[in-house]
């Protein structure tokens, strides 16, 4: 027995440090890759205007996820561009047929940065780098998780592109009441609103990294 156990113990003594070192090397490489990625990007300074844009962009991101989870097509249309809305609509149909739900909750903002901002006539396009953690899994009609991990948050890094109309009407010009995108008459004072458009909409969503 000793003849068998001793070689095994000897091998184990060598393997454990090797595995530990390999884990450290892999972790260091991932961290270096993350730093290198960040160094290649130039972020816009966080002025008061840009912070306000980031806050609105994050709010729309959350609203989009909740609308997706709830099959709220009206809300999705409100916060996304027509092209992205059509994409999301088609992706939701298989889930609906299977009576499954993409559950997402407990969003934890890690950081956000504006990567690019392009001003055009009357509108602006911004690209936001968003790092966020949240629970993300698929459950069936009985609430049973069928895909993903309901006990562990995913750690995501996204590139999100938003478009917004700088001249969009978001308040009633008569009583300053907030307006929804679909409103053409103010519900508070009955003033006719000539044009009401969403101030910001999510245009593209690209996953850069998941861990």
């Amino acid at each position: 027995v000793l003849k068998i156990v001793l070689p095994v113990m000897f091998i184990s003594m060598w393997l454990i440090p090797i595995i530990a070192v390999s884990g450290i090397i892999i972790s260091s490489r991932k961290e270096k890759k993350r730093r290198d990625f960040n160094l290649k990007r130039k972020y816009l300074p966080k002025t008061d205007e840009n912070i306000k844009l980031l806050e609105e962009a994050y709010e729309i991101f959350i609203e989009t996820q909740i609308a997706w989870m709830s099959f709220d097509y009206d809300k999705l249309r409100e916060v996304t561009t027509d092209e992205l809305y059509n994409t999301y609509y088609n992706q939701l149909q298989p889930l609906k047929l299977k009576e499954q739900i993409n559950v997402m909750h407990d969003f934890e903002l890690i950081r956000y940065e504006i990567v690019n901002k392009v001003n055009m006539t009357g509108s602006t396009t911004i690209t936001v780098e968003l790092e966020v953690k949240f629970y993300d899994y698929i459950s069936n009609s009985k609430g049973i998780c069928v895909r993903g991990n309901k006990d562990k948050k995913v750690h995501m890094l996204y590139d999100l592109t938003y478009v917004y109309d700088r001249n969009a009407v978001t308040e009633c010009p008569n009583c300053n009441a907030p307006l929804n995108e679909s409103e053409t008459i103010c519900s508070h004072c009955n003033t006719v609103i000539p044009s009401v458009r969403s101030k910001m909409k999510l245009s593209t969503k690209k996953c850069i990294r998941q861990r």
Side-chain angles (χ1 to χ4, degrees), residues 1-11:
V1 174
L2 286 176
K3 289 182 180 180
I4 298 174
V5 171
L6 287 176
V8 170
M9 291 178 60
F10 180 77
I11 294 171

mmCIF file of all heavy atoms in Angstrom, residues 1-11:
data_model
loop_
_atom_site.group_PDB
_atom_site.id
_atom_site.type_symbol
_atom_site.label_atom_id
_atom_site.label_comp_id
_atom_site.label_asym_id
_atom_site.label_seq_id
_atom_site.Cartn_x
_atom_site.Cartn_y
_atom_site.Cartn_z
ATOM 1 N N VAL A 1 0.842 -1.201 0.000
ATOM 2 C CA VAL A 1 0.000 0.000 0.000
ATOM 3 C C VAL A 1 0.872 1.243 0.000
ATOM 4 O O VAL A 1 0.613 2.223 -0.704
ATOM 5 C CB VAL A 1 -0.945 0.007 1.214
ATOM 6 C CG1 VAL A 1 -1.720 1.308 1.298
ATOM 7 C CG2 VAL A 1 -1.898 -1.171 1.143
ATOM 8 N N LEU A 2 1.945 1.211 0.853
ATOM 9 C CA LEU A 2 2.837 2.370 0.941
ATOM 10 C C LEU A 2 3.499 2.656 -0.398
ATOM 11 O O LEU A 2 3.731 3.809 -0.760
ATOM 12 C CB LEU A 2 3.904 2.114 2.016
ATOM 13 C CG LEU A 2 3.427 2.209 3.475
ATOM 14 C CD1 LEU A 2 4.554 1.848 4.423
ATOM 15 C CD2 LEU A 2 2.939 3.626 3.765
ATOM 16 N N LYS A 3 3.792 1.583 -1.156
ATOM 17 C CA LYS A 3 4.437 1.758 -2.458
ATOM 18 C C LYS A 3 3.536 2.537 -3.413
ATOM 19 O O LYS A 3 3.996 3.236 -4.295
ATOM 20 C CB LYS A 3 4.785 0.392 -3.053
ATOM 21 C CG LYS A 3 5.917 -0.312 -2.347
ATOM 22 C CD LYS A 3 6.235 -1.649 -3.021
ATOM 23 C CE LYS A 3 7.376 -2.364 -2.319
ATOM 24 N NZ LYS A 3 7.693 -3.663 -2.952
ATOM 25 N N ILE A 4 2.216 2.381 -3.227
ATOM 26 C CA ILE A 4 1.256 3.075 -4.104
ATOM 27 C C ILE A 4 0.991 4.487 -3.585
ATOM 28 O O ILE A 4 0.953 5.453 -4.340
ATOM 29 C CB ILE A 4 -0.068 2.290 -4.178
ATOM 30 C CG1 ILE A 4 0.173 0.908 -4.786
ATOM 31 C CG2 ILE A 4 -1.109 3.060 -4.989
ATOM 32 C CD1 ILE A 4 -1.046 0.009 -4.757
ATOM 33 N N VAL A 5 0.819 4.613 -2.256
ATOM 34 C CA VAL A 5 0.438 5.890 -1.655
ATOM 35 C C VAL A 5 1.542 6.925 -1.775
ATOM 36 O O VAL A 5 1.293 8.090 -2.098
ATOM 37 C CB VAL A 5 0.062 5.685 -0.166
ATOM 38 C CG1 VAL A 5 -0.129 7.038 0.522
ATOM 39 C CG2 VAL A 5 -1.216 4.864 -0.060
ATOM 40 N N LEU A 6 2.781 6.535 -1.547
ATOM 41 C CA LEU A 6 3.880 7.495 -1.563
ATOM 42 C C LEU A 6 4.048 8.196 -2.908
ATOM 43 O O LEU A 6 4.191 9.416 -2.965
ATOM 44 C CB LEU A 6 5.183 6.783 -1.139
ATOM 45 C CG LEU A 6 5.273 6.430 0.353
ATOM 46 C CD1 LEU A 6 6.551 5.645 0.628
ATOM 47 C CD2 LEU A 6 5.273 7.721 1.184
ATOM 48 N N PRO A 7 4.048 7.439 -4.028
ATOM 49 C CA PRO A 7 4.144 8.132 -5.318
ATOM 50 C C PRO A 7 2.965 9.073 -5.567
ATOM 51 O O PRO A 7 3.132 10.158 -6.129
ATOM 52 C CB PRO A 7 4.155 6.977 -6.334
ATOM 53 C CG PRO A 7 4.632 5.800 -5.575
ATOM 54 C CD PRO A 7 4.094 5.975 -4.195
ATOM 55 N N VAL A 8 1.769 8.652 -5.148
ATOM 56 C CA VAL A 8 0.585 9.498 -5.338
ATOM 57 C C VAL A 8 0.734 10.782 -4.541
ATOM 58 O O VAL A 8 0.424 11.874 -5.018
ATOM 59 C CB VAL A 8 -0.699 8.749 -4.915
ATOM 60 C CG1 VAL A 8 -1.893 9.706 -4.891
ATOM 61 C CG2 VAL A 8 -0.971 7.588 -5.867
ATOM 62 N N MET A 9 1.203 10.658 -3.285
ATOM 63 C CA MET A 9 1.419 11.837 -2.447
ATOM 64 C C MET A 9 2.477 12.743 -3.048
ATOM 65 O O MET A 9 2.352 13.973 -3.034
ATOM 66 C CB MET A 9 1.836 11.413 -1.034
ATOM 67 C CG MET A 9 0.734 10.726 -0.237
ATOM 68 S SD MET A 9 1.317 10.190 1.395
ATOM 69 C CE MET A 9 1.809 11.764 2.107
ATOM 70 N N PHE A 10 3.511 12.135 -3.600
ATOM 71 C CA PHE A 10 4.599 12.904 -4.207
ATOM 72 C C PHE A 10 4.096 13.698 -5.418
ATOM 73 O O PHE A 10 4.381 14.886 -5.571
ATOM 74 C CB PHE A 10 5.726 11.948 -4.629
ATOM 75 C CG PHE A 10 6.894 12.660 -5.262
ATOM 76 C CD1 PHE A 10 7.807 13.345 -4.480
ATOM 77 C CD2 PHE A 10 7.046 12.641 -6.654
ATOM 78 C CE1 PHE A 10 8.885 13.997 -5.080
ATOM 79 C CE2 PHE A 10 8.108 13.282 -7.239
ATOM 80 C CZ PHE A 10 9.039 13.963 -6.463
ATOM 81 N N ILE A 11 3.280 13.031 -6.240
ATOM 82 C CA ILE A 11 2.715 13.690 -7.423
ATOM 83 C C ILE A 11 1.779 14.823 -7.009
ATOM 84 O O ILE A 11 1.778 15.915 -7.582
ATOM 85 C CB ILE A 11 1.974 12.672 -8.316
ATOM 86 C CG1 ILE A 11 2.978 11.674 -8.905
ATOM 87 C CG2 ILE A 11 1.200 13.372 -9.424
ATOM 88 C CD1 ILE A 11 2.324 10.508 -9.621
#
